[in-house]
Amino acid sequence: MKEELMKQEQKNDHEMCLSDQAIVDLYWNRDEKAISETDKKYGRYLYKIAFNIVHDNLDCEECLNDTYLGTWNRIPPTRPSVFQIFLSKIMRNIAVDRYRKNRGAKQIPSELVVSLNELNECLCTVPSVEEEYALKEISKILSDFLREQNSADEFMFVCRYYYSDYLADIAKMLNVSEKTVYRVLIRMRSNLLEELKKKGYDQ
Amino acid sequence: MRNDQDKNLEILSNIDEDIIDRNTEKRIQYIKRMRQPKKKRWIPVAIVAATISLLAAMVPMLIFFSDRPDPTPPIGTETETNQKQIPIYRGMSIASNGVSLEQDFKSEEEHLLLWNRPNMLSVRGSGTVLSVLESNHQSLWRIMYSLQQKNKPNLIYPSVQGSLYYANPGETIRITIHFDNPDQFEIMSFTLNEKKYATQMFLEGSDMENLIVEYTIDEDAAGMIECTIDAIKYIDGTKIKDVKIGGEQSVAICVRPEQQPTVKVEEEKMDANGVSFLVSMEDSLGLIAASQGNVRVVLYDRETTIAEQNVTVGEDTLIQFVDMEANAYYRYAVIARYDALDGKGLVDHVFYEKEMNIYQLTYVMDGGINPEENPKDYISKDGAVLKQPTKEGYRFVGWTWEGQEEPVKDAVIELGAHGDITFTANWELPMSNLAMPVDGKMIRSYFTENSPEYDSAHLGIDIAAALGSAVYAVEDGVVTNVWEDVRTGYSIEIRLCDRDVYAVYRCLDEAVAMGLEKGDAVKKGDVIAYLGEPTHIHEKSDGPHLHFEMSADGLMVNPLTYFTQNVIDRLTSSEP
């Protein structure tokens, strides 16, 4: 898998890619070339997001296609300010949906599962009666909590639990040791649990 | 029912967009950088050996050229480890309570206006110039200098406001430290005025390029203080390294001193000349001198400044305002123009203000007419003289008011008087029981307008009697004149009862009349003369008669008003 990715990476690097603006213009003008250009420029990047979550090549391909379709449907009227962020979020959500669908049949050994299990101890404290409301409330508390963190900690949390990145990848991105990332995340989870307790979401 | 995974996914999916966007962007950058090819670290043994031998050969040369400057690569070049650009410190900015005070300037024009104020552009100080900043606009500059005066705190003072930050003593401000940090190294710590700040002290909103920290101004800080950053460390892998310095390490904050100038006003007097008092201005921090300010006492009315006198700071200054006009309104104030270091710049501060009060004047006229010239109010420095009122048929005796029981004709509002005053006009009836001047009948009355029969006014009464009849003094009095009138013959004038009422007898016989002299006192009923032949051209045909006139307060009056009804009846009765 890694070799495949590396090959594709090198291939992409050598190809000339259009600017984000030009690609968005293609979507805007309903030019189907937009999808191939997106794939050429961001296919590999998006593939990696999907792979962390669904952990299956075929599923990743489907997620990619769904993402391109989703992008095609959203632009226009949307004109994303940063195209890659826009794609990232679509891909992540599509991959999570795909994971949910697949989950029933088999245990998926994706990083998403690992990361979600890490969160079990602090997040799933919601009584089912008022679930909808409480989940939104916890999201709000989590957002506020993240804003209070320093930027590196916040970044680690988002990578790990929103994009389900591997600890090693996060460490590499930040040029720190895997252990550091691990320790930071433990500390944050424990602080988050405290914060939730303070707000009345006790186990 | 959802399982735990679903709940967690739901919660994570609802994290605020801005957090996801911000970190996704960072993630993209990191990934992009990770993909860039890295330099091979592997160095063949042969190259190492060659390098060592080359270095050995260069040792003498290095010693020879050791005086030459070290060719340090310029800041920001990509010669650092792993081809990464190490963080570069770029400077600090300050916000007070999270809001930059510079935002007070609503527009660029307004900002320029403040800086262009002419009195702000002439900075001359007896201190050390700390820094001068110039911009492309010639008048956009600022100078800081420190006062170096004996016995005074060494207050560093900004003479021109502009891009300065202002704060109060003890206030907590936010300082943002800016970095160029494209490779997103983690800034670990730094010292700010020798206090160490570490990761956990960075506030919300900090990121890899902008660190926000709180800084509390000392309680006893005053004037210009400086925040200096030093020892900025970042983490590169497992190593702690120094951040390169590429910006001003200090930022100036202007702190408003608690101790502001004070003023004392003593020996305040209002007298005939106006106002005088002693002013002493204390300015222990030298704020007024430092900002090229001044202290002055201003005398003004409701609209304009009438006079100004300067005050010397630190000394007693005698202020005198003279020749102040009556019935005018005045205020005076001690005003100091200086920069209080509160962000408002060089402005006027009013320290002492006093108004010269207006007091009401009330007149109780008892039916009389008050002249319009008499004032309705007065201020404490007045010295106006009241005019006399009039009342038909009465004589004005004088004004009385609180503290003045004896009537005074020419009342004066005393200089320096205070409080409302009520003036009461006092009147008296004229004498009304005069004796008959001659025993006879009135043949011509008093009239002020020409009558067809008489062809002129007749300002007296004519009483017909036999030639040689005795003529009596109508009241006690003093002879004030005895003379022969070309038209009315011998005449006598008597001042009655020591008042301004005069009785004039005309058409008298020469013999007795000339026996009286000016200054002789007469009693009521005394024979003062005898009736003579009429001499007046119109009155010759009337036969012998007394022409009797009276005047009061300089005005001719009808004599009948001074007689009792009994006397009038006798004069006008048709019976012999």
Side-chain angles (χ1 to χ4, degrees):
Chain A
M1 170 61 208
K2 264 195 172 175
E3 283 168 11
E4 256 179 51
L5 274 174
M6 289 292 280
K7 273 181 198 169
Q8 198 180 348
E9 199 171 298
Q10 281 164 9
K11 186 184 143 202
N12 281 354
D13 285 348
H14 288 98
E15 282 175 20
M16 287 292 287
C17 295
L18 289 181
S19 70
D20 284 358
Q21 182 61 44
I23 298 173
V24 171
D25 286 344
L26 289 175
Y27 278 104
W28 204 263
N29 298 327
R30 314 310 289 157
D31 187 338
E32 285 179 15
K33 216 178 139 198
I35 289 169
S36 59
E37 287 297 332
T38 311
D39 187 52
K40 192 164 81 181
K41 192 167 182 182
Y42 295 119
R44 179 179 52 87
Y45 166 80
L46 295 171
Y47 190 95
K48 171 80 171 130
I49 292 177
F51 193 83
N52 285 353
I53 296 168
V54 295
H55 207 263
D56 182 277
N57 290 340
L58 271 179
D59 282 334
C60 283
E61 289 297 336
E62 282 185 33
C63 284
L64 262 181
N65 290 335
D66 288 351
T67 301
Y68 298 146
L69 179 66
T71 310
W72 179 262
N73 290 335
R74 284 176 173 81
I75 308 175
T78 314
R79 189 177 269 279
S81 55
V82 183
F83 186 49
Q84 200 174 351
I85 296 176
F86 180 76
L87 290 172
S88 307
K89 288 195 290 187
I90 294 178
M91 173 51 108
R92 187 263 174 190
N93 291 336
I94 284 172
V96 165
D97 284 347
R98 165 94 25 196
Y99 165 81
R100 280 190 184 130
K101 271 185 208 161
N102 293 351
R103 189 185 48 195
K106 53 188 176 178
Q107 182 68 36
I108 300 166
S110 79
E111 198 59 19
L112 175 74
V113 180
V114 184
S115 69
L116 287 179
N117 285 341
E118 286 173 8
L119 282 181
N120 274 351
E121 64 192 63
C122 62
L123 281 190
C124 66
T125 57
V126 192
S128 48
V129 187
E130 41 192 23
E131 202 171 81
E132 274 306 318
Y133 173 77
L135 289 178
K136 286 218 167 87
E137 189 64 24
I138 291 178
S139 292
K140 173 96 180 43
I141 295 168
L142 175 58
S143 299
D144 292 344
F145 171 79
L146 287 175
R147 281 203 188 87
E148 282 167 17
Q149 308 304 309
N150 73 46
S151 57
D153 290 3
E154 183 190 85
F155 177 71
M156 284 185 208
F157 192 95
V158 171
C159 287
R160 178 64 181 159
Y161 299 116
Y162 188 82
Y163 286 111
S164 304
D165 281 330
Y166 288 84
L167 289 182
D169 288 343
I170 299 170
K172 216 183 279 177
M173 282 192 266
L174 290 174
N175 211 3
V176 294
S177 70
E178 211 174 314
K179 222 176 205 173
T180 308
V181 178
Y182 180 70
R183 275 207 306 267
V184 168
L185 290 173
I186 286 182
R187 171 166 56 80
M188 286 183 83
R189 289 202 304 267
S190 130
N191 289 346
L192 176 61
L193 181 62
E194 285 300 311
E195 188 68 22
L196 285 167
K197 277 182 183 170
K198 254 193 248 169
K199 300 273 160 81
Y201 291 95
D202 211 339
Q203 285 281 15
Chain B
M1 189 188 292
R2 298 178 208 213
N3 64 23
D4 288 349
Q5 271 192 1
D6 284 340
K7 285 180 195 170
N8 287 347
L9 278 172
E10 184 72 25
I11 291 166
L12 291 166
S13 298
N14 286 325
I15 292 176
D16 287 353
E17 285 278 305
D18 63 305
I19 296 173
I20 300 300
D21 286 358
R22 182 166 63 233
N23 289 289
T24 305
E25 190 175 4
K26 257 188 219 172
R27 189 172 174 278
I28 291 164
Q29 284 171 2
Y30 282 129
I31 291 172
K32 210 180 277 175
R33 204 175 53 226
M34 279 162 60
R35 278 192 212 142
Q36 285 169 357
K38 290 179 181 173
K39 268 192 176 176
K40 302 252 184 213
R41 292 187 183 177
W42 180 78
I43 307 166
V45 177
I47 295 177
V48 174
T51 312
I52 292 168
S53 57
L54 185 67
L55 280 172
M58 285 177 72
V59 167
M61 282 172 71
L62 285 171
I63 294 167
F64 179 77
F65 290 112
S66 59
D67 286 346
R68 291 193 164 198
D70 187 27
T72 313
I75 288 169
T77 51
E78 293 194 357
T79 57
E80 305 305 328
T81 327
N82 298 337
Q83 285 191 332
K84 286 186 177 176
Q85 185 174 308
I86 71 165
I88 303 165
Y89 164 79
R90 288 298 185 198
M92 287 185 278
S93 60
I94 292 173
S96 180
N97 297 323
V99 181
S100 168
L101 285 166
E102 280 187 277
Q103 289 171 8
D104 287 348
F105 301 110
K106 294 195 177 52
S107 66
E108 188 64 21
E109 290 75 29
E110 197 175 338
H111 199 154
L112 285 174
L113 258 179
L114 275 166
W115 286 40
N116 280 330
R117 293 227 301 244
N119 49 12
M120 297 182 116
L121 293 173
S122 55
V123 178
R124 291 181 301 278
S126 57
T128 310
V129 173
L130 296 179
S131 73
V132 180
L133 301 179
E134 288 189 32
S135 83
N136 50 3
H137 191 287
Q138 59 173 5
S139 60
L140 287 181
W141 46 265
R142 79 177 192 212
I143 295 178
M144 306 167 218
Y145 61 89
S146 67
L147 295 176
Q148 290 174 338
Q149 293 176 27
K150 280 182 186 171
N151 306 323
K152 283 187 178 175
N154 193 24
L155 178 72
I156 302 172
Y157 185 86
S159 59
V160 179
Q161 62 159 349
S163 60
L164 284 175
Y165 301 99
Y166 289 86
N168 290 318
E171 188 177 341
T172 299
I173 57 170
R174 288 183 164 206
I175 299 181
T176 308
I177 298 117
H178 305 284
F179 298 93
D180 281 350
N181 190 8
D183 288 308
Q184 305 281 300
F185 284 102
E186 186 184 351
I187 310 292
M188 196 182 77
S189 65
F190 54 81
T191 64
L192 199 61
N193 281 5
E194 295 176 357
K195 181 189 170 187
K196 189 169 180 181
Y197 285 79
T199 317
Q200 69 276 11
M201 296 159 88
F202 303 158
L203 300 179
E204 182 191 331
S206 299
D207 55 32
M208 291 297 194
E209 301 204 317
N210 300 288
L211 297 181
I212 305 169
V213 291
E214 277 187 344
Y215 179 82
T216 305
I217 309 281
D218 284 347
E219 286 290 348
D220 53 357
M224 184 82 86
I225 61 163
E226 291 203 329
C227 267
T228 305
I229 194 170
D230 207 355
I232 315 170
K233 307 283 185 191
Y234 74 100
I235 302 174
D236 182 359
T238 53
K239 291 177 185 170
I240 295 171
K241 296 179 176 175
D242 284 327
V243 168
K244 283 212 167 185
I245 303 295
E248 275 286 329
Q249 276 178 272
S250 293
V251 64
I253 304 163
C254 205
V255 183
R256 182 182 191 274
E258 286 293 323
Q259 201 175 346
Q260 295 285 315
T262 54
V263 75
K264 252 199 299 188
V265 174
E266 293 170 311
E267 297 177 30
E268 206 168 2
K269 285 180 206 157
M270 288 181 196
D271 54 28
N273 287 324
V275 190
S276 72
F277 48 89
L278 279 177
V279 176
S280 56
M281 191 90 192
E282 287 302 325
D283 179 19
S284 56
L285 291 182
L287 290 168
I288 298 169
S291 52
Q292 302 284 302
N294 60 51
V295 185
R296 60 203 194 279
V297 181
V298 180
L299 179 75
Y300 58 105
D301 59 14
R302 286 187 180 87
E303 288 168 358
T304 53
T305 300
I306 296 158
E308 255 187 49
Q309 282 181 37
N310 289 329
V311 173
T312 311
V313 178
E315 291 175 17
D316 283 353
T317 310
L318 176 66
I319 301 295
Q320 277 185 313
F321 292 118
V322 293
D323 299 332
M324 291 164 85
E325 285 175 23
N327 295 318
Y329 172 81
Y330 293 101
R331 285 174 84 91
Y332 51 93
V334 182
I335 298 172
R337 174 171 292 184
Y338 68 98
D339 187 342
L341 304 187
D342 54 2
K344 292 176 186 160
L346 192 67
V347 293
D348 283 337
H349 300 259
V350 177
F351 279 86
Y352 180 87
E353 198 169 15
K354 195 155 185 183
E355 167 180 319
M356 299 177 83
N357 283 321
I358 299 175
Y359 296 110
Q360 291 300 311
L361 294 178
T362 312
Y363 299 92
V364 178
M365 297 310 299
D366 189 22
I369 299 164
N370 197 19
E372 279 185 8
E373 296 92 320
N374 280 348
K376 303 288 179 287
D377 51 31
Y378 79 104
I379 55 176
S380 47
K381 55 132 200 71
D382 262 357
V385 180
L386 297 188
K387 296 237 185 258
Q388 292 183 16
T390 54
K391 182 176 175 182
E392 182 67 33
Y394 286 85
R395 210 164 66 89
F396 178 62
V397 181
W399 299 103
T400 53
W401 60 93
E402 196 181 347
Q404 178 65 43
E405 302 302 331
E406 194 62 37
V408 177
K409 279 194 173 169
D410 298 320
V412 177
I413 300 168
E414 287 175 21
L415 294 163
H418 284 81
D420 294 346
I421 305 175
T422 301
F423 288 100
T424 306
N426 291 278
W427 311 95
E428 64 178 9
L429 279 168
M431 290 153 288
S432 55
N433 58 347
L434 299 184
M436 284 275 277
V438 65
D439 194 7
K441 299 288 173 205
M442 189 173 77
I443 54 167
R444 189 167 288 114
S445 62
Y446 173 89
F447 46 89
T448 54
E449 292 186 5
N450 292 358
S451 86
E453 303 89 44
Y454 196 68
D455 202 25
S456 76
H458 187 248
L459 301 177
I461 54 173
D462 290 345
I463 305 167
L467 189 69
S469 297
V471 174
Y472 307 102
V474 290
E475 185 54 272
D476 295 350
V478 176
V479 176
T480 49
N481 205 1
V482 180
W483 77 104
E484 187 186 4
D485 192 289
V486 289
R487 292 184 305 141
T488 57
Y490 292 101
S491 306
I492 298 174
E493 182 190 70
I494 298 173
R495 183 170 186 236
L496 304 180
C497 296
D498 208 17
R499 293 179 182 171
D500 286 341
V501 180
Y502 294 85
V504 179
Y505 301 79
R506 296 178 189 273
C507 307
L508 303 176
D509 182 73
E510 179 189 0
V512 180
M514 295 314 287
L516 279 177
E517 285 185 7
K518 192 174 172 180
D520 287 349
V522 292
K523 290 279 178 194
K524 183 175 178 182
D526 282 356
V527 175
I528 53 169
Y530 296 97
L531 213 53
E533 288 289 346
T535 53
H536 194 278
I537 188 160
H538 294 303
E539 296 178 359
K540 276 191 173 174
S541 57
D542 293 337
H545 66 272
L546 174 72
H547 178 89
F548 183 71
E549 289 176 3
M550 285 187 74
S551 71
D553 298 326
L555 296 171
M556 300 302 289
V557 292
N558 186 351
L560 289 187
T561 56
Y562 290 83
F563 293 115
T564 57
Q565 193 56 44
N566 183 30
V567 175
I568 294 169
D569 288 347
R570 282 171 62 191
L571 283 171
T572 53
S573 136
S574 54
E575 289 172 16

